[in-house]
Amino acid sequence: MIKFQNVIKTYEGNVRAIDNVSFNVEDGEFVILLGPSGCGKTTLLRMVNQLETITDGDIILNDKSVRHSNIIEMRRNIGYVIQSNGLFPNMTIEDNVLAVPNLIGWDRAKQQKRYSYLMDLIGLNPDEYRKRYPHELSGGQQQRIGVARALAADPPVMLMDEPFGALDPIIRTRLQEEFLQIQREVKKTILFVSHDIDEAVKMGDRIALFRDGKIMQYDRPAEILSHPNNDFVSEFIGNDRMLKSMSLYTVKDLSNVCSLQPNITSEDIKIIKENTSLRTAISLLLNQEADQLVIEDENGNNMGSLTFDLINEFLRKEVRGSKAYE
Ligand SMILES: Nc1ncnc2c1ncn2[C@@H]1O[C@H](COP(=O)(O)OP(=O)(O)OP(=O)(O)O)[C@@H](O)[C@H]1O
Ligand SMILES: [Mg+2]
């Protein structure tokens, strides 16, 4: 668990970057630090692994103040992905990924096994990339290597500073989905910086929304979308919050409440899995000619089809009528 207790950070020149911030992050929780540029997200992250000093207050990591922890040992247990991917340019991909295991003296066989595992996890062929250098990879591939490197020694805590920040929307979406998949497998305590509400809603168990170094709201995504604490939060999440909240539901959730339609056979109908988010389903329906999507379960069995009318029915029954949207 990470406890932020009345944390204050004042830089030289009296810039108060973090202003009396308190909140807790549970073990295994994925928490998004969200807010506009300059609100203090990077500063807060860097105080956790003591790349920045804490001016006042404290951060407690596993019952111990980070101020009094052995910095080397603590950083070994914290994976850190910096805002730009921060790979070592003159080291091969393999050496980049294995930087920490190498540093802490893992034997060769264990390192090799770990390298292959991580490359598979991030969807890059271990042998194909092994001897390449960072500049020989695309931006998205480099970002993925940055994530693999931070995961390498299997740290229980991850600090990720806009790890998908500089990517185009398509690669970004793919990496987000890959990373959610990774998190389901490895269950770490994660602080993940973003300034994108969509990314936050999609990825976070909880969101801490900041403004000028202060927490405006700390809550589950559904709560933030449905019950914004103040005008700043409402404005930040924007006026299409109903559409945004659709990324919290999957087609499967809908099929538990509404009956899917029988399929109309046609050649150019798109097939999607039942664990696809409703937000993705809506954009597919809006962007393709067909007015239905065929739904498959995990085993590839046809479950019926999804139409726009069904989504409206689900919204009426489940979302608008629910407690969250009173
Ligand atoms: N080394 C520093 N010295 C003085 N002021 C700093 C320093 N680093 C950051 N600041 C200031 O502290 C505030 C918070 O900066 P920080 O980098 O934490 O913001 P951020 O939320 O990560 O922004 P972005 O989304 O642009 O990365 C800003 O006003 C910034 O100018
Ligand atoms: Mg930053």
Side-chain angles (χ1 to χ4, degrees), residues 11-13 15-18 35-44 52 83 161-162 193-195 210:
Y11 285 112
E12 264 174 56
V15 183
R16 187 166 273 208
I18 290 293
S37 180
C39 72
K41 306 177 295 292
T42 298
T43 300
L44 194 68
E52 290 293 349
Q83 200 158 357
D161 200 346
E162 305 212 34
V193 170
S194 178
H195 57 250
F210 286 83

Side-chain angles (χ1 to χ4, degrees), residues 23 27-28 36-37 43 68 80 108 121 131 169 221 275 290 298 310:
F23 66 106
D27 287 338
S37 180
T43 300
H68 306 121
Y80 181 41
R108 180 90 190 133
L121 201 62
K131 294 297 166 213
N275 60 6
E298 284 151 28
L310 269 183

Side-chain angles (χ1 to χ4, degrees), residues 90-208:
N90 50 359
M91 275 163 67
T92 63
I93 295 308
E94 179 181 33
D95 290 342
N96 263 285
V97 170
L98 293 174
V100 178
N102 193 21
L103 198 71
I104 61 181
W106 285 18
D107 67 47
R108 180 90 190 133
K110 190 172 170 191
Q111 286 195 30
Q112 278 311 302
K113 211 169 145 207
R114 188 69 181 156
Y115 171 74
S116 299
Y117 170 80
L118 289 166
M119 293 298 279
D120 285 342
L121 201 62
I122 58 166
L124 295 174
N125 183 305
D127 292 325
E128 191 179 334
Y129 293 92
R130 189 185 302 275
K131 294 297 166 213
R132 290 207 208 170
Y133 287 86
H135 74 269
E136 295 169 311
L137 270 60
S138 74
Q141 290 165 340
Q142 288 179 29
Q143 291 252 1
R144 278 189 261 183
I145 298 295
V147 172
R149 188 177 66 174
L151 284 167
D154 202 19
V157 176
M158 298 278 285
L159 308 176
M160 308 182 73
D161 200 346
E162 305 212 34
F164 314 139
L167 304 177
D168 71 58
I170 292 170
I171 298 180
R172 188 184 173 112
T173 305
R174 221 175 54 213
L175 274 187
Q176 287 168 342
E177 263 142 36
E178 274 171 20
F179 199 73
L180 280 176
Q181 193 64 40
I182 292 174
Q183 172 61 357
R184 270 179 225 121
E185 267 178 56
V186 295
K187 259 306 172 210
K188 298 185 177 296
T189 308
I190 301 177
L191 282 174
F192 183 109
V193 170
S194 178
H195 57 250
D196 177 0
I197 175 76
D198 292 312
E199 180 170 77
V201 167
K202 182 169 170 184
M203 311 280 287
D205 295 321
R206 284 200 275 181
I207 297 172

Side-chain angles (χ1 to χ4, degrees), residues 245-260:
S245 71
M246 287 293 95
S247 56
L248 295 167
Y249 299 95
T250 63
V251 176
K252 188 165 189 211
D253 297 330
L254 178 145
S255 71
N256 289 334
V257 181
C258 314
S259 340
L260 294 173

